[in-house]
Amino acid sequence: QVHPVESGGGLVQAGGSLRLSCVASGDTVCISAMDWYRQAPGKERDLVASITTGGSPSYAGSAKGRFTISRDNAENTVYLQMNSLKPEDTAVYYCHAQMDCPIYYGMDFWGKGTLVTVSS
């Protein structure tokens, strides 16, 4: 199994920045890509950004131009640099590992989340 652990959330004013980190432990050799999701109160969990083992990023529309996802494979760590934060970015941010080994097909590995609050 894989155990992602997020950190870096907190309270920030609109226009500010935060950097989230996610460290994965366990069977990390089976991780193919890692994602950041977020869930605002009363809303569904939505994909924010993804990054492959090779470092290719992709972003949801809300994150484009403001957020940057990066990865340190040696440290099994994924980062989400968030700039120009808006109150609507307030949410719990979750790290998710996509698995590439048959033994893990159909399984999801999530962190417990880190809360980001953006004040206006």
Side-chain angles (χ1 to χ4, degrees):
Q1 295 193 347
V2 168
H3 307 282
V5 178
E6 306 94 337
S7 62
L11 175 63
V12 63
Q13 289 189 332
S17 299
L18 279 176
R19 188 174 86 151
L20 306 183
S21 300
C22 172
V23 180
S25 61
D27 205 356
T28 57
V29 68
C30 286
I31 296 175
S32 60
M34 295 193 73
D35 317 302
W36 283 100
Y37 283 75
R38 68 184 183 186
Q39 187 168 19
K43 296 190 177 181
E44 294 185 351
R45 191 173 298 188
D46 293 324
L47 179 65
V48 176
S50 297
I51 189 164
T52 66
T53 304
S56 296
S58 60
Y59 299 94
S62 61
K64 287 181 180 178
R66 298 189 299 128
F67 295 1
T68 302
I69 189 170
S70 59
R71 182 170 183 163
D72 183 338
N73 288 333
E75 299 293 331
N76 295 311
T77 301
V78 177
Y79 304 98
L80 186 68
Q81 177 67 42
M82 304 186 295
N83 299 328
S84 302
L85 283 162
K86 306 174 182 179
E88 51 263 44
D89 294 317
T90 294
V92 178
Y93 284 71
Y94 295 92
C95 184
H96 173 260
Q98 297 184 36
M99 307 302 286
D100 199 28
C101 294
I103 191 174
Y104 296 120
Y105 284 171
M107 297 177 69
D108 283 314
F109 295 100
W110 295 91
K112 293 183 178 181
T114 186
L115 176 62
V116 172
T117 303
V118 184
S119 63
S120 57

